[in-house]
């Protein structure tokens, strides 16, 4: 079976032939690959070609593909049933693991995706405060909920404009969009709308404009400004939870958000999202409080046991230093290869995630991220794919390492990347 044959069939049955747009490789050109199987740090397409994988399913697989502990937990649970529609004991176990890892999270509600987590968190913030406006940062992605598929309008305190057809103007204008790392713009938007702002939602380390780190004082400013106006802080840790440290970005940057959104790693590759926070906020969630949110497969036992196995193994290994060391070995190796070739680039890295931007500028927000040469990125992506290195098929995403990536994997990846860059 050929990738292209299968993809043609997929395109006749599913819009763009995919279940999520980025998988169609439109941002990088060329035909997408279809996956036959994956194990550890490796992935094979339907033609049997093997790749060293740095996409890692967009972040969930910090233990690598098909980790034995996770696979056996899911297989064992499957014999006992796949879904009950009533509370199962694994929800309690995973909730205890989450609550014990993030002091700001006193209570948690499980949902089935990061989008559901952020959508619900926004509704909760609006319900808790009785206010309408939401503030987000340009270039941050929080899933495809209407309130968050909003682009920056023009001007400073920018009333959002629909980021896609299908989001009514009336909805988009309730989302205020300011540049990431821009405290002044945030202060301005609060000066104008402060008493009506329910919350600020932020990726504490951005992963969706490529990796962009918070500037000194940025996260503190969000906390101070929201507190003075009575708005809530929602930390979207869907990527960073258990990725940057056991306590996510909020541990690393010593933050205490009112609500935290989780996803990816927390489900170990199975469909899972969650939102949690201070008890007095979470108690507003139905059926304890009036803010409605529900889900047939929420707390699904298979996702629960996958998350439990993932977190328990992660806590046992405590691999964060080793992951950072291997990641830095990879990024410095890539930097050397690109510099030798005279290719201007910036690499933003934290823990086991990073992005290569093809620009000379420091990348600290979406505008500077967009200064990178996306045509060059497309060629880079396709050459790497040919050499057997799989990276995210889009510039504004992050590479991820896992505990399954070995020293040899990194050496081999650097050899393959060197060959790819040679023909750039
Ligand atoms: P999901 O609904 O895709 O599970 O989560 C949405 C989401 C929320 N918050 C953050 C910070 C996220 O990064 C995401 C989803 N991430 C993208 C890629 N960075 C998922 C890939 C895709 O859309 O196919």
């Amino acid at each position: 079976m050929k990738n292209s044959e299968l993809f043609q069939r997929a395109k006749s049955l599913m819009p763009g032939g995919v279940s999520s747009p980025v998988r169609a490789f439109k941002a990088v050109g060329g035909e997408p690959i279809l996956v036959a199987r994956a194990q550890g740090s490796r992935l094979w397409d339907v033609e049997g070609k093997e790749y060293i994988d740095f996409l890692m399913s967009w972040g969930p697989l910090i233990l690598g593909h098909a980790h034995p502990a996770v696979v056996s937990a899911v297989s064992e649970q499957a014999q006992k049933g796949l879904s009950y529609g009533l509370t199962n004991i694994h929800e309690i176990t995973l909730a205890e693991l989450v609550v014990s890892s993030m002091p700001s999270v006193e209570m948690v509600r499980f949902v089935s995706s990061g989008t559901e987590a952020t959508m619900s968190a926004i509704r909760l913030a609006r319900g808790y405060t009785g206010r309408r406006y939401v503030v987000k940062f340009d270039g941050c992605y929080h899933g495809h909920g209407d309130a968050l598929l909003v682009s920056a309008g023009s001007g400073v305190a920018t009333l959002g404009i629909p980021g896609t057809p299908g989001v009514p103007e009336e909805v988009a204008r309730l989302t205020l969009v300011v540049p990431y790392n821009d405290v002044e713009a945030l202060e301005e938007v609060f000066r104008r709308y402060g008493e009506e702002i329910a919350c600020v939602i932020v990726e504490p380390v951005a992963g969706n404009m490529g990796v962009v780190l918070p500037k000194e004082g940025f996260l503190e400013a969000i906390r101070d400004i929201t507190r003075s106006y009575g708005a809530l802080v929602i930390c979207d840790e869907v990527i960073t939870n258990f990725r940057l440290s056991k306590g996510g970005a909020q541990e690393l940057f010593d933050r205490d958000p009112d609500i935290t959104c989780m996803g990816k790693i927390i489900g170990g590759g199975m469909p899972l999202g969650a939102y949690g926070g201070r008890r007095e906020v979470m108690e507003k969630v139905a059926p304890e409080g009036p803010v409605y949110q529900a889900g047939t497969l929420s707390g699904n036992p298979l996702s629960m046991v996958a998350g439990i196995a993932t977190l328990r193994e992660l806590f046992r290994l405590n691999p964060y230093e080793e992951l950072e060391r291997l990641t830095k070995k990879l990024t410095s190796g890539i930097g050397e290869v690109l510099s030798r070739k005279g290719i201007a680039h910036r690499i933003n890295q934290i823990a086991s995630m990073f992005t290569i931007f093809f620009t000379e500028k420091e990348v600290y927000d979406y505008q500077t991220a967009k200064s990178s040469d996306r045509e060059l990125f497309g060629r880079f992506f396709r050459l790497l794919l040919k050499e057997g290195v799989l990276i995210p098929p889009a510039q504004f995403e992050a590479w991820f390492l896992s505990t399954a990536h070995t020293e040899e994997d990194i050496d081999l990846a650097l050899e393959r990347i060197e060959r790819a860059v040679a023909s750039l």
Side-chain angles (χ1 to χ4, degrees):
M1 268 300 197
K2 291 276 177 219
N3 281 308
S4 47
E5 267 170 59
L6 279 172
F7 189 55
Q8 289 315 316
R9 265 180 53 199
K11 276 202 285 198
S12 68
L13 296 159
M14 300 176 285
V18 293
S19 297
S20 197
V22 68
R23 303 176 189 176
F25 283 19
K26 286 196 182 308
V28 291
E31 287 258 301
I33 59 170
L34 281 80
V35 182
R37 65 188 180 90
Q39 179 66 44
S41 61
R42 303 304 169 95
L43 177 145
W44 288 262
D45 70 17
V46 292
E47 294 176 10
K49 184 178 172 58
E50 173 260 359
Y51 304 86
I52 304 174
D53 186 0
F54 295 106
L55 169 60
M56 297 307 284
S57 179
W58 307 95
L61 306 175
I62 195 163
L63 299 180
H65 287 285
H67 187 286
V70 182
V71 171
S72 59
V74 172
S75 319
E76 203 180 305
Q77 171 56 40
Q79 316 296 329
K80 301 175 193 162
L82 283 74
S83 176
Y84 306 127
L86 296 173
T87 299
N88 65 77
I89 48 160
H90 306 304
E91 292 170 79
I92 301 166
T93 308
L94 187 55
E96 280 167 344
L97 284 169
V98 170
V99 165
S100 65
S101 305
M102 295 186 170
S104 76
V105 178
E106 295 176 319
M107 295 187 96
V108 63
R109 165 63 59 90
F110 294 116
V111 293
S112 298
S113 71
T115 292
E116 265 194 280
T118 57
M119 221 168 68
S120 310
I122 296 285
R123 184 181 311 130
L124 173 57
R126 283 171 158 160
Y128 179 80
T129 60
R131 300 177 178 185
R132 299 183 305 157
Y133 285 97
V134 167
V135 175
K136 78 174 285 286
F137 295 94
D138 198 18
C140 285
Y141 175 71
H142 304 288
H144 62 86
D146 279 1
L148 294 163
L149 273 190
V150 166
S151 302
S154 56
V156 177
T158 53
L159 292 177
I161 54 175
T164 165
V167 174
E169 210 281 310
E170 296 83 346
V171 169
R173 61 179 293 104
L174 292 176
T175 302
L176 302 162
V177 185
V178 296
Y180 195 78
N181 273 322
D182 187 338
V183 174
E184 250 127 76
L186 186 67
E187 284 167 345
E188 170 63 19
V189 105
F190 269 86
R191 265 196 293 280
R192 290 197 194 176
Y193 300 91
E195 306 301 337
E196 297 179 80
I197 294 175
C199 62
V200 172
I201 184 166
V202 63
E203 288 183 62
V205 165
N208 288 291
M209 44 184 126
V211 174
V212 170
L213 301 183
K215 278 184 179 167
E216 192 63 38
F218 175 56
L219 298 176
E220 291 78 357
I222 293 173
R223 175 78 278 175
D224 297 345
I225 295 169
T226 45
R227 194 161 275 164
S228 62
Y229 282 91
L232 300 186
V233 176
I234 301 176
C235 237
D236 180 349
E237 295 229 34
V238 166
I239 287 181
T240 54
N241 64 174
F242 307 106
R243 168 67 57 184
L244 302 191
S245 76
K246 182 175 175 186
Q250 55 194 272
E251 177 186 284
L252 223 55
F253 294 92
D254 187 22
R255 307 312 318 152
D256 67 332
D258 301 293
I259 302 173
T260 297
C261 298
M262 292 158 267
K264 297 184 194 268
I265 290 175
I266 190 178
M270 294 290 284
L272 186 58
Y275 63 104
R278 286 194 283 119
R279 190 174 295 279
E280 56 149 344
V281 176
M282 290 305 290
E283 283 170 348
K284 293 286 185 198
V285 179
E288 191 157 347
V291 179
Y292 193 71
Q293 179 267 310
T296 305
L297 296 176
S298 295
N300 172 274
L302 295 185
S303 298
M304 293 293 111
V305 297
I308 292 163
T310 299
L311 295 189
R312 281 184 172 155
E313 178 62 4
L314 197 52
F315 298 169
R316 185 184 72 78
L317 291 172
N318 189 18
Y320 294 102
E321 266 176 50
E322 177 60 7
L323 279 169
E324 171 133 70
R325 184 189 68 78
L326 270 184
T327 305
K328 286 184 166 168
K329 174 174 178 173
L330 180 59
T331 52
S332 52
I334 294 172
E336 279 162 28
V337 169
L338 292 173
S339 301
R340 274 203 298 277
K341 188 81 183 176
I343 295 174
H345 63 279
R346 287 273 179 165
I347 300 180
N348 287 0
Q349 171 266 334
I350 181 168
S352 53
M353 60 191 272
F354 69 93
T355 299
I356 304 171
F357 297 95
F358 291 112
T359 178
E360 275 153 357
K361 290 184 184 160
E362 186 208 345
V363 178
Y364 58 85
D365 66 5
Y366 197 31
Q367 285 316 317
T368 45
K370 285 193 278 194
S371 76
S372 56
D373 180 340
R374 269 164 275 174
E375 189 279 326
L376 176 55
F377 179 84
R379 280 188 291 124
F380 179 65
F381 171 87
R382 294 194 302 274
L383 287 165
L384 256 57
L385 197 68
K386 202 157 133 266
E387 291 295 337
V389 175
L390 175 63
I391 70 171
Q395 171 65 69
F396 303 125
E397 298 289 353
W399 302 37
F400 292 106
L401 270 75
S402 79
T403 54
H405 286 83
T406 63
E407 203 82 34
E408 294 69 34
D409 285 332
I410 304 305
D411 295 338
L412 182 56
L414 286 170
E415 278 169 36
R416 292 182 179 181
I417 292 168
E418 177 133 35
R419 272 202 300 278
V421 171
S423 43
L424 250 189

